[in-house]
Amino acid sequence: MDIVLEITDAFFFDHIYAKLFPVPQALTSVIQGSDPSFELLSSLSKNLSLSYIPSEPYEYTIVPAPAVAYMSTIPRTNIIRQSIALFLITWIFGMVLYFLFASLSYVFIYDKRNMAHPKFLKNQMRMEIQQALTSLPVMSVYTVPWFVAEIRGYSRMYWDPSQYGKAYMFWQYPLFIAFTDFGIYLIHRGLHHPVVYKHLHKPHHKWIVPTPYASHAFHPMDGYLQSLPYHIFPFVLPLHKLSYLLLFTFINIWTILIHDGEYMTNNPAINGAACHTLHHLYFNYNYGQFTTLWDRIGGSYRTPEQSMFDQKVKMSDTTWKSQVNEMEKIVKEVELEDDRQYVHDDGAEAKKEK
């Protein structure tokens, strides 16, 4: 995350902090609006006994620090400044990814016929978005300590490809997927324990027939807990800094894709949208994130029915009725009662009154 912070510092935060917390007038008056070098700033700061301008230029990976980076009394290395910046980056970047890719999925992939499903909720998309917007800033707060630890050098992330060799530049990807898939399986399955489920994971299972906007519609602690393997990995095994950003983006896109209800693959090894649809319908199956490996080992794998891949059958009344009958039995076991308001409830009530 230090690459993103480095770029946002150079083009945004350095300028903001220089305006809000400028160096003393004694220094700016000597500079007189010029574009000083670091050497000049450092020399002047020593003469004026200023401690906030570092003795060496800020280290950088891609973007060198501009002169304005040294013109604030709160330096880049200040942990509070770093925490605030990383919170804003995580929150805003997370929202951009969420709205961009969830909207693309909704427009170009999601089958709108799902909204006619008997278990689609009233105002569901609005509620999904509201839940996500409420949770994302809180999840960002929880995540900040991991990012702060990363940029302060406590992780095993690296920049020079030769440090671990070209082969590892490839192997880091399957290692990341394997490590995080196992971790998420354990955490996700744990979140279904009755003591935990009703407090943390139930909000995400409100969506029996999810849309792409349900992808980030979690209780904030639920979303954070399931993200822990992603943050733990670079503290255990090396991970290239650019690869980390690519994987961070991929994870968000994948999370959206497995909620889009469009079953593009029936590969028995991949825990795709079909597997995750069964998880939302029937609760106790397919806890994995990327693969079906740990569900198979843990006895929680449920094979998607072939009817799910038949466009003529998957949306039929017969298929939906079968799903509803099984789902209602499981909801009573898991939640005791179903307090959801479905889009068809009004019609059912009207029929009862007649």
Side-chain angles (χ1 to χ4, degrees):
M1 194 56 75
D2 57 346
I3 294 175
V4 178
L5 183 59
E6 179 183 293
I7 293 170
T8 53
D9 268 338
F11 292 101
F12 182 72
F13 290 115
D14 287 340
H15 300 271
I16 296 296
Y17 277 90
K19 288 194 175 192
L20 296 178
F21 307 98
V23 294
Q25 187 65 33
L27 183 56
T28 55
S29 62
V30 172
I31 297 172
Q32 293 180 342
S34 63
D35 188 15
S37 64
F38 170 80
E39 288 73 16
L40 174 59
L41 288 171
S42 182
S43 174
L44 291 170
S45 69
K46 288 178 183 177
N47 293 334
L48 296 169
S49 300
L50 303 177
S51 60
Y52 44 79
I53 294 182
S55 57
E56 297 292 334
Y58 290 128
E59 294 182 359
Y60 69 93
T61 304
I62 295 176
V63 183
V68 70
Y70 304 97
M71 299 301 291
S72 171
T73 55
I74 300 179
R76 284 185 174 187
T77 51
N78 181 283
I79 194 169
I80 296 176
R81 170 176 165 170
Q82 290 174 335
S83 299
I84 293 171
L86 288 167
F87 163 71
L88 292 173
I89 291 167
T90 307
W91 179 20
I92 294 170
F93 188 42
M95 284 201 302
V96 169
L97 284 177
Y98 169 65
F99 277 113
L100 174 61
F101 290 105
S103 297
L104 288 173
S105 176
Y106 177 75
V107 172
F108 297 108
I109 300 175
Y110 181 67
D111 193 332
K112 314 302 186 294
R113 292 180 296 168
N114 280 305
M115 294 179 175
H117 194 286
K119 293 303 179 182
F120 198 83
L121 304 184
K122 291 180 181 178
N123 305 312
Q124 179 168 315
M125 282 210 311
R126 178 173 61 81
M127 291 192 295
E128 289 171 340
I129 293 170
Q130 285 178 339
Q131 178 71 54
L133 291 181
T134 301
S135 298
L136 282 169
V138 183
M139 285 191 281
S140 299
V141 171
Y142 295 153
T143 304
V144 162
W146 291 98
F147 289 154
V148 170
E150 288 168 15
I151 66 171
R152 296 181 83 85
Y154 293 101
S155 76
R156 301 188 65 187
M157 284 196 280
Y158 66 100
W159 181 249
D160 184 0
S162 65
Q163 186 172 345
Y164 294 99
K166 292 181 179 179
Y168 190 77
M169 286 294 291
F170 166 78
W171 284 110
Q172 64 182 333
Y173 294 103
L175 283 172
F176 180 89
I177 295 298
F179 180 93
T180 56
D181 194 45
F182 174 63
I184 292 170
Y185 174 81
L186 291 179
I187 293 167
H188 191 181
R189 187 156 189 171
L191 286 163
H192 276 261
H193 188 282
V195 176
V196 180
Y197 174 83
K198 61 184 178 181
H199 298 294
L200 295 182
H201 198 49
K202 186 178 177 180
H204 188 62
H205 272 277
K206 186 173 186 175
W207 333 113
I208 303 298
V209 184
T211 79
Y213 293 104
S215 58
H216 292 63
F218 290 96
H219 182 291
M221 181 55 72
D222 178 5
Y224 169 69
L225 289 174
Q226 293 198 61
S227 74
L228 281 176
Y230 304 135
H231 302 301
I232 293 171
F233 180 88
F235 288 87
V236 177
L237 292 169
L239 184 63
H240 192 268
K241 293 179 179 181
L242 186 57
S243 298
Y244 182 80
L245 295 178
L246 292 173
L247 286 165
F248 182 86
T249 303
F250 164 74
I251 290 161
N252 280 272
I253 296 172
W254 180 262
T255 303
I256 290 166
L257 290 176
I258 62 174
H259 288 87
D260 66 15
E262 189 61 32
Y263 316 133
M264 294 183 178
T265 178
N266 193 20
N267 188 311
I270 298 175
N271 187 13
C275 287
H276 201 68
T277 292
L278 293 181
H279 178 72
H280 275 266
L281 278 169
Y282 308 130
F283 294 76
N284 301 322
Y285 306 95
N286 302 344
Y287 299 105
Q289 181 73 352
F290 302 114
T291 76
T292 62
L293 173 64
W294 297 107
D295 280 298
R296 291 176 184 277
I297 292 173
S300 55
Y301 177 64
R302 177 163 174 164
T303 306
E305 295 86 355
Q306 281 301 123
S307 61
M308 298 178 73
F309 301 91
D310 187 330
Q311 291 295 326
K312 294 179 180 178
V313 178
K314 71 181 245 185
M315 300 277 184
S316 69
D317 289 340
T318 302
T319 299
W320 283 355
K321 186 176 180 179
S322 174
Q323 291 174 349
V324 167
N325 289 338
E326 184 175 358
M327 168 261 167
E328 287 179 344
K329 292 176 184 177
I330 296 174
V331 166
K332 287 180 181 178
E333 295 173 4
V334 174
E335 299 180 357
L336 302 182
E337 62 177 352
D338 188 357
D339 57 1
R340 299 167 182 82
Q341 287 189 310
Y342 299 103
V343 74
H344 293 297
D345 283 353
D346 290 340
E349 290 298 322
K351 287 181 180 179
K352 286 180 182 179
E353 290 175 6
K354 288 181 180 179

